[in-house]
Amino acid sequence: MFKKLKLNTVFLFLPLMSLMFCFNAPKNDDEKMSTIMVSVKNTLSYLHYSPKPINDAYSKEVYKHYFEMVDPSKRYFLQTDMEEFSKHETKLDDYISNGDLVFFKLTTDRLLQRVDEIDVMTQNIFKSPINLDADETILLDAKKKSYAKDKNQLQAEWVKYVKYNILQEMESLEAKEKSQKELKDSLQRNKLKDTVTLKILTPEQKKIKATEEVKDLLSDSFRRFKRVKRMEWFSRYMNAYTEVFDPHSNYFSPQDKDDFDTSFKGKIIGIGAIIQEKKGYLYLGALSIGAPAWKSKQLSEGDKILKIKAKPNEDAVNAVGLLSSEAVRLIRGEKGTPVTLTVQKKDQSIKEVTLIREEVEIEDTFAKSIVITTADGKKWGFINLPSFNADFDDKKGRNASDDIKNEIIKLKAQNIEGVILDLRNNGGGSLTEVGDMMGLFMNAGPYVQVKEGSGKINTLKNKYNAPIWTGPLVVMQNELSASASEIFAGLIQDYGRGVVIGSPQSFGKGTVQTFIELNRFLSSSDDFGALKLTIQKFYRISGESTQRKGVVSDIQLKDFFTYAEVGEKYDDYALAWDKIAPTQYTKLSTLDLSKIEQNSKARMANNKMYQLLQESAEWKMKLDKEESITINQTKFNELMKARKAQIEKFKALDKFNNQLKFNFNPDEVQRMKTDDIFSKKKENWKKILQKDFYLQEAVNVISELK
């Protein structure tokens, strides 16, 4: 949940400003990082909703969290490294207060040293025959692992890791062969054109091919690891400090902040092409319809990028070996400026293409809708909202509430009888968009209470009395519905405006963040990045916090996430749950959901597909919790055979069809006739909806609303 910092809160910064203006302009990167450290510490201490004492206890938590971030699988550092590092365990509070980089430099230099050594080590491992017949196991649970005592033990662990990856790759090749054979048989059986080239490899050939693939993948991963810039490592280091305050307080480098703004607004300035990385080379992925790359008619998905010329007066940069993130930053730039790509086409010809950067919308950010027609002829409007997006910098920019409004208008023109709003996997976004969206479904009223660290509580209200949809409403959620999604689902419940259906509870993020630009308080024109800082907690109008507990669905349906550790309550540093007094509001209606809930439970109890889905989820949860696995080829194959037999039982889930009929908006149908890419995206979405078990039950529920 994000909001803009208002000018009337500037007085809060006065103590902070007196501390932070004392810095002179940094002369080098070390001075810049030191300045950032002290600025972050001061900002956390003065402005965080629930500041922590910067002491030895805090230092220990930061120390623990840092190593969970940089070496989570305990695959790089030695026990001797950790013994050396442990001397600093209670000093990290002093380091951030003084801008001391000693621990950061020590650990990152050592990490890169170990990666160099392991890179050589794995190359040597591949020079000798790899024995998959030894009766060995590999420990998967990092919590159960210890750091290697010396380089010999480290190499032994990497040998196991290589073996495990080879066995997995061999299993992948086996699965691919089976899939191709099934497709080939199907084509021949139905007397269709057989375009499948099937080559069955022997076990030894699979081993050779898998070994080469794993060798390339590891080599490429080390290459990318070593290309990570020092400032990116520093960002991770700073986030060890910030995330111990709470998981949503984070340091953003200037590039990270730019990437975040892009995803939040749903638009970028660029050429409209995905950049993909494979084995040290960059390729063009999917091209956005209507964007410069697509309009040029000179570029295609799969083109290899050889050079990138970001500005006319600069030399082109060799793209070979670049990270995809580095290429993206070269390609993006100011609107109306040129960027030149030199690409190798699939026919091996070389082409130089100059494009003018434009504003490109990321369509997956925005709402979309479709009409569902049931067997009895009733029509229901389905709207999917991926995020509560907003463009604070452009009044003409797109936002979630306007998009939802437009989708409702289109659905009403098709004579729907109810609206199903899908907020599953919606991680939230703008707080104000919740209020604006509320105004589409009901009259004016409070929609959230916001509490500051001082204890002051503000109630935010929707002021508009012109709803455009007053009919039946169902809101879908799951464990990944967070923040703004939870506020919206909660207010729908509290007002009795509709029914919330989905996982037993949503994610449980009940905090508000704002971005604070660090250079705002420094005597420098340099960009020091920004701190995304938790400054408030929000509460439902009933007084209940959504923090940790989330929103409990009216109609509860378990899914795969229900059996996993997904949600705020699983984070060690998440703020606590609490409640405040309810604000004054008037329920629209008192929905008696007992009968609807009873009917849903009866359907689920008798639904073999739902029962199978639960069994599958529980089985996968057990696999995820396995602490170790055999890397003996014979035993591994036997284990995979047993798992495949179990998977066969769950194959019916892949073939599920909810028997709902879906119809696109007439304008979209017309566009689909002339735009193949748009048509393909829409048809793929439709196929996904056709397999959506939970959507079927949402339709059942809305059909029972009076």
Side-chain angles (χ1 to χ4, degrees):
M1 182 61 62
F2 307 101
K3 64 182 291 185
K4 287 216 132 182
L5 197 62
K6 296 180 180 178
L7 291 176
N8 60 14
T9 62
V10 162
F11 72 92
L12 291 171
F13 290 88
L14 292 178
L16 187 64
M17 291 167 70
S18 65
L19 287 171
M20 298 176 76
F21 269 122
C22 62
F23 293 109
N24 295 317
K27 298 175 182 177
N28 52 48
D29 283 348
D30 279 6
E31 287 192 10
K32 183 174 183 178
M33 287 187 284
S34 294
T35 301
I36 289 171
M37 287 181 73
V38 180
S39 300
V40 166
K41 180 262 181 182
N42 289 337
T43 307
L44 285 168
S45 296
Y46 282 97
L47 297 180
H48 192 273
Y49 175 84
S50 181
K52 290 177 179 284
I54 308 297
N55 55 21
D56 288 357
Y58 169 71
S59 178
K60 288 182 178 181
E61 289 296 327
V62 174
Y63 180 89
K64 173 176 170 283
H65 189 45
Y66 175 63
F67 287 108
E68 289 172 344
M69 295 168 70
V70 297
D71 190 11
S73 300
K74 298 177 182 175
R75 197 169 284 142
Y76 297 104
F77 290 125
L78 297 173
Q79 184 60 46
T80 52
D81 295 329
M82 299 309 296
E83 290 170 1
E84 182 181 353
F85 299 155
S86 67
K87 299 172 185 176
H88 301 265
E89 187 177 11
T90 59
K91 299 178 182 178
L92 271 63
D93 54 323
D94 302 316
Y95 296 156
I96 192 172
S97 297
N98 301 322
D100 193 329
L101 296 168
V102 61
F103 181 71
F104 167 68
K105 286 186 172 184
L106 171 65
T107 54
T108 51
D109 287 349
R110 186 67 52 79
L111 179 62
L112 292 173
Q113 176 191 334
R114 295 296 179 229
V115 169
D116 277 333
E117 292 169 354
I118 294 167
D119 189 5
V120 174
M121 185 185 294
T122 54
Q123 289 177 36
N124 290 330
I125 290 171
F126 285 107
K127 288 178 181 178
S128 302
I130 294 174
N131 178 20
L132 298 178
D133 296 325
D135 192 5
E136 297 175 307
T137 59
I138 184 171
L139 198 57
L140 301 175
D141 188 349
K143 293 178 181 178
K144 304 289 183 181
K145 289 178 68 174
S146 300
Y147 290 96
K149 293 180 180 179
D150 52 36
K151 290 182 182 179
N152 288 334
Q153 191 178 80
L154 185 66
Q155 175 159 332
E157 286 301 310
W158 272 92
V159 169
K160 287 185 177 184
Y161 184 63
V162 166
K163 289 181 180 182
Y164 179 51
N165 278 274
I166 290 172
L167 289 169
Q168 286 185 308
E169 186 62 29
M170 289 174 69
E171 185 63 27
S172 176
L173 290 171
E174 182 81 24
K176 186 177 179 181
E177 280 183 359
K178 183 180 178 183
S179 176
Q180 286 182 318
K181 188 176 186 307
E182 288 175 351
L183 177 58
K184 190 178 187 71
D185 291 345
S186 175
L187 292 171
Q188 292 176 350
R189 186 168 55 250
N190 293 287
K191 297 181 179 179
L192 298 172
K193 185 178 180 181
D194 186 356
T195 57
V196 178
T197 302
L198 180 61
K199 184 180 179 182
I200 304 296
L201 301 177
T202 65
E204 185 59 28
Q205 287 173 325
K206 284 190 181 73
K207 180 182 176 182
I208 292 170
K209 186 171 182 178
T211 301
E212 285 301 311
E213 183 67 20
V214 172
K215 179 182 177 182
D216 288 345
L217 287 172
L218 282 177
S219 177
D220 196 45
S221 69
F222 291 134
R223 179 190 63 81
R224 285 186 279 110
F225 198 107
K226 288 183 273 190
R227 282 195 63 88
V228 174
K229 289 184 170 58
R230 195 170 190 82
M231 200 64 193
E232 292 183 53
W233 287 115
F234 179 72
S235 292
R236 297 177 197 185
Y237 178 56
M238 292 315 304
N239 278 314
Y241 281 101
T242 62
E243 290 173 12
V244 167
F245 269 66
D246 83 287
H248 307 290
S249 290
N250 315 103
Y251 171 71
F252 283 70
S253 68
Q255 290 95 338
D256 291 337
K257 178 61 166 56
D258 183 57
D259 291 341
F260 179 89
D261 289 342
T262 294
S263 63
F264 196 69
K265 295 175 183 177
K267 62 184 181 182
I268 59 172
I269 306 298
I271 64 171
I274 300 293
I275 307 300
Q276 299 174 332
E277 188 178 346
K278 186 176 180 181
K279 296 183 179 180
Y281 294 99
L282 298 178
Y283 297 85
L284 289 177
L287 309 184
S288 299
I289 300 164
W294 181 84
K295 288 192 296 186
S296 73
K297 305 299 181 186
Q298 299 181 73
L299 298 173
S300 307
E301 185 172 345
D303 288 349
K304 182 191 287 187
I305 304 172
L306 303 179
K307 296 178 183 179
I308 304 170
K309 189 174 184 180
K311 295 180 180 179
N313 59 345
E314 293 181 355
D315 292 334
V317 175
N318 187 345
V320 177
L322 279 183
L323 299 178
S324 57
S325 58
E326 294 174 314
V328 166
R329 286 176 183 135
L330 286 170
I331 291 171
R332 290 180 187 173
E334 293 183 18
K335 185 177 180 179
T337 59
V339 57
T340 301
L341 301 185
T342 303
V343 299
Q344 184 180 66
K345 308 293 287 183
K346 290 179 180 178
D347 63 3
Q348 304 304 304
S349 63
I350 308 296
K351 180 173 283 190
E352 188 176 278
V353 182
T354 298
L355 307 161
I356 302 300
R357 297 179 177 101
E358 295 179 7
E359 187 176 284
V360 180
E361 289 188 339
I362 307 168
E363 285 297 330
D364 290 342
T365 304
F366 307 123
K368 54 188 175 185
S369 69
I370 199 167
V371 171
I372 302 171
T373 305
T374 51
D376 58 4
K378 290 188 176 182
K379 292 183 177 181
W380 309 101
F382 176 78
I383 306 175
N384 173 256
L385 182 66
S387 72
F388 282 77
N389 60 289
D391 190 341
F392 294 125
D393 300 322
D394 183 358
K395 291 182 179 180
K396 296 181 180 179
R398 291 181 68 169
N399 58 63
S401 57
D402 284 342
D403 285 347
I404 293 291
K405 180 178 180 180
N406 292 333
E407 297 304 323
I408 293 174
I409 290 171
K410 289 191 290 186
L411 292 170
K412 286 176 69 175
Q414 298 175 78
N415 301 314
I416 59 164
E417 297 184 42
V419 169
I420 299 171
L421 179 61
D422 185 6
L423 299 182
R424 289 174 297 175
N425 306 320
N426 184 319
S430 169
L431 190 63
T432 55
E433 285 304 300
V434 177
D436 291 342
M437 268 182 57
M438 172 189 174
L440 302 175
F441 297 98
M442 64 187 87
N443 285 328
Y447 64 90
V448 70
Q449 299 185 85
V450 181
K451 181 182 177 183
E452 297 177 2
S454 64
K456 180 182 178 182
I457 298 171
N458 295 309
T459 300
L460 305 186
K461 300 179 180 180
N462 159 49
K463 301 176 182 179
Y464 301 102
N465 283 303
I468 64 171
W469 182 256
T470 55
L473 175 65
V474 164
V475 175
M476 300 182 73
Q477 67 169 14
N478 65 3
E479 286 84 0
L480 295 180
S481 303
S483 201
S485 298
E486 296 173 288
I487 296 177
F488 188 83
L491 73 88
I492 293 299
Q493 274 187 341
D494 293 336
Y495 277 102
R497 173 62 185 87
V499 179
V500 177
I501 181 174
S503 59
Q505 72 164 69
S506 53
F507 187 86
K509 179 183 179 293
T511 54
V512 183
Q513 286 74 39
T514 191
F515 272 101
I516 299 173
E517 306 289 343
L518 295 182
N519 56 311
R520 181 184 298 183
F521 307 109
L522 300 170
S523 301
S524 173
S525 59
D526 203 353
D527 192 344
F528 291 84
L531 194 62
K532 179 163 70 68
L533 189 70
T534 296
I535 56 168
Q536 298 166 326
K537 285 178 75 175
F538 56 75
Y539 301 79
R540 292 167 62 162
I541 54 177
S542 63
E544 296 282 326
S545 171
T546 58
Q547 179 64 12
R548 286 182 174 263
K549 293 187 178 182
V551 173
V552 176
S553 297
D554 297 312
I555 308 298
Q556 297 184 18
L557 303 171
K558 294 181 179 180
D559 57 23
F560 282 102
F561 295 123
T562 307
Y563 296 88
E565 293 186 355
V566 175
E568 193 90 350
K569 64 183 178 181
Y570 294 106
D571 195 296
D572 293 339
Y573 307 113
L575 298 184
W577 178 90
D578 63 342
K579 62 186 297 186
I580 60 175
T583 191
Q584 189 173 0
Y585 68 100
T586 304
K587 270 186 171 288
L588 297 175
S589 64
T590 304
L591 286 172
D592 183 6
L593 298 177
S594 57
K595 183 64 175 176
I596 295 175
E597 184 180 4
Q598 183 181 341
N599 290 343
S600 181
K601 284 183 177 179
R603 282 191 294 268
M604 295 304 100
N606 295 310
N607 191 307
K608 292 182 180 179
M609 193 60 61
Y610 182 67
Q611 301 305 322
L612 185 62
L613 194 151
Q614 303 309 303
E615 186 181 344
S616 174
E618 289 180 3
W619 180 68
K620 288 184 178 180
M621 176 193 67
K622 289 178 182 176
L623 292 184
D624 290 340
K625 290 187 175 181
E626 286 187 345
E627 295 180 0
S628 62
I629 190 170
T630 179
I631 49 173
N632 170 273
Q633 185 172 356
T634 301
K635 291 183 177 181
F636 186 86
N637 290 342
E638 289 173 355
L639 178 63
M640 292 301 108
K641 185 178 179 181
R643 288 185 180 179
K644 286 175 191 175
Q646 187 71 31
I647 291 170
E648 282 294 320
K649 184 178 180 180
F650 302 134
K651 272 197 170 180
L653 295 171
D654 296 328
K655 298 176 182 178
F656 173 74
N657 188 311
N658 54 33
Q659 302 302 318
L660 298 172
K661 184 180 179 182
F662 299 93
N663 298 102
F664 296 111
N665 177 270
D667 291 341
E668 292 177 336
V669 173
Q670 286 301 118
R671 181 178 173 184
M672 289 168 70
K673 291 178 181 178
T674 57
D675 192 329
D676 291 339
I677 298 177
F678 178 78
S679 178
K680 187 175 181 180
K681 285 184 178 180
K682 286 293 181 181
E683 289 296 341
N684 284 341
W685 184 45
K686 186 175 175 180
K687 287 178 182 178
I688 293 170
L689 295 178
Q690 202 81 63
K691 292 177 174 289
D692 192 335
F693 173 85
Y694 298 95
L695 179 56
Q696 181 187 48
E697 185 58 14
V699 171
N700 290 335
V701 169
I702 200 170
S703 300
E704 296 179 3
L705 290 178
K706 304 297 183 183

